[in-house]
Amino acid sequence: MGASNGWLRIGELARRTGCSPALLRAWEQRYGVLQPARTKGGFRLYRDSDVARVRRMRELIAGGLAPAEAARVVLEELQPTGPALDASPTADAAIEGAAAADLVERLEAALERFDDREAQAVLDEVFARLSVESAIQRVVLPYLERLGTRWSQGLVTIAQEHFASNVLRARLLGLARGWGSGVGPLAVLACPPGEEHELGLIAFGLVLSRRGWRVAYLGADTPLETLTSTVDLLEPAVVVLAAYDPERLRPHREAIRRLAASVPVAIGGALGDLDPEELGVRALASDVVAAAAAL
Ligand code: B12
């Protein structure tokens, strides 16, 4: 049953959020996270702002919080069922640069000790206190930047870099659950052959999915042939390729040009001296959050 005069019925809320009506009722009854109005017939009626509220619950639970804890955070962040609120700004503003830097340092210290438990605890705190976009921009990316610098200075071993990358990859992909569902336009995300740097692309996908896009993630080291046949099958609105090193793209210029003739292609990362116009692609801003917002 669709939305009428601004109200949503439980079926519509379930469709928009990917949560079952039973779960929506459970969150209402157990935690008071949702406070629907009722029709004369007693049917629940929800506001648009409840969509953001449910998505925030899912985000927090996917980030590792227990439902009761997630509900506490949501209720703290969101004024009871007023106009559609983006919860994050208020919460995020509360976290000054210093606090974010402190989270980066604690995360770094835990990961360099191979201390998974402490690293998870720090990440729990990050995703409880910040929206996904801000967590990416203010903690995850700055941490990865430092990791790269410390690796190039020989202060971090390849093993530490691999451990850290995999802990972050798992947490970010944990937040990606369900990014393929919904009704928004579809984006196919991949790295070219030989490219293993995918954290930027995953972060990009998370921001896209929070802006209503559906994501089909092919990830690291994807052959162009299989990417092209997948595009024929899925007919996405856009294909996003991410490469750290333009040499990963150069051997595939012809294939990329052909692909771009059939579907919009955007490239994130380093294009080097490759000319996006000549390839028929769109070069994305290097900031993955801004690039996703602009897509
Ligand atoms: C994590 C990491 C790895 C992990 C990747 C794990 C994973 N699953 O992704 C592993 C361990 C696999 C790895 C391997 C290697 N790495 Co490495 N790695 C990093 C590290 C520390 C973080 C990368 C990252 O995700 N950053 C997060 C992104 C988003 O942050 P960003 O830098 O702000 O964003 C830039 C790009 O990411 C890009 N971008 C990337 N993806 C996307 C996506 C979109 C959509 C958009 C819009 C933008 C974008 O745009 C930004 C500007 O260019 C970087 C250091 C760094 N400074 O980033 C080194 C770094 C990228 N690695 C480097 C190197 C040399 C390697 C190896 C060759 C090392 C080796 N000898 O084995 C291999 C190559 C593997 C391969 N075939 O691709 C060099 C790259 C130098 C270069 N210019 O090519 C760096 C810069 C380290 C250094 N300081 O020298 N690495």
Side-chain angles (χ1 to χ4, degrees):
M1 174 52 196
S4 61
N5 56 23
W7 292 103
L8 308 176
R9 297 287 284 270
I10 196 164
E12 177 64 12
L13 182 63
R15 200 182 63 74
R16 290 194 191 184
T17 59
C19 273
S20 70
L23 188 59
L24 296 173
R25 283 191 287 270
W27 286 352
E28 172 198 330
Q29 285 145 4
R30 278 194 219 131
Y31 313 119
V33 163
L34 294 166
Q35 293 130 12
R38 296 282 178 153
T39 65
K40 287 206 186 61
F43 289 103
R44 289 175 170 81
L45 290 174
Y46 299 92
R47 293 167 186 76
D48 272 334
S49 59
D50 289 322
V51 175
R53 189 172 280 236
V54 172
R55 287 201 175 133
R56 182 68 177 140
M57 265 299 273
R58 293 195 63 171
E59 223 168 60
L60 292 165
I61 292 168
L65 289 192
E69 182 62 16
R72 193 186 58 72
V73 172
V74 169
L75 289 172
E76 250 174 39
E77 286 172 355
L78 293 176
Q79 306 316 316
T81 60
L85 290 173
D86 176 304
S88 49
T90 46
D92 296 354
I95 294 197
E96 294 314 316
D102 171 60
L103 288 164
V104 171
E105 273 164 31
R106 287 168 47 206
L107 181 62
E108 182 176 86
L111 289 170
E112 288 186 11
R113 284 197 313 271
F114 299 96
D115 183 342
D116 182 68
R117 190 176 18 185
E118 175 57 14
Q120 299 297 350
V122 176
L123 288 166
D124 282 350
E125 194 179 330
V126 169
F127 290 116
R129 297 174 66 183
L130 293 169
S131 68
V132 165
E133 287 193 18
S134 295
I136 287 169
Q137 244 165 352
R138 305 180 64 188
V139 176
V140 176
L141 297 185
Y143 164 71
L144 285 167
E145 189 76 28
R146 282 167 64 115
L147 176 63
T149 311
R150 291 173 62 73
W151 176 79
S152 63
Q153 294 166 342
L155 300 172
V156 162
T157 65
I158 290 184
Q160 284 168 316
E161 186 185 31
H162 283 207
F163 179 80
S165 307
N166 287 302
V167 167
L168 286 172
R169 183 176 184 277
R171 281 305 286 257
L172 292 178
L173 284 177
L175 291 164
R177 200 171 136 208
W179 66 1
S181 60
V183 292
L186 178 66
V188 170
L189 275 50
C191 295
E195 181 61 77
E196 293 170 23
H197 294 97
E198 58 174 332
L199 297 174
L201 191 61
I202 297 172
F204 177 83
L206 288 174
V207 179
L208 271 191
S209 70
R210 270 140 189 87
R211 289 164 185 267
W213 285 76
R214 287 176 295 135
V215 172
Y217 184 71
L218 308 186
D221 189 21
T222 300
L224 268 289
E225 303 71 37
T226 192
L227 175 61
T228 305
S229 57
T230 306
V231 165
D232 296 342
L233 183 72
L234 300 180
E235 298 180 347
V238 68
V239 171
V240 177
L241 282 173
Y244 226 97
D245 185 347
E247 296 320 309
R248 307 279 182 204
L249 294 165
R250 198 180 303 283
H252 310 287
R253 278 169 303 174
E254 205 28 56
I256 294 170
R257 204 178 290 120
R258 274 199 307 277
L259 183 64
S262 70
V263 62
V265 174
I267 297 192
L271 271 164
D273 62 357
L274 293 171
D275 175 4
E277 258 171 60
E278 193 259 331
L279 285 174
V281 304
R282 178 172 158 195
L284 293 172
S286 70
D287 172 343
V288 289
V289 173
L295 199 67

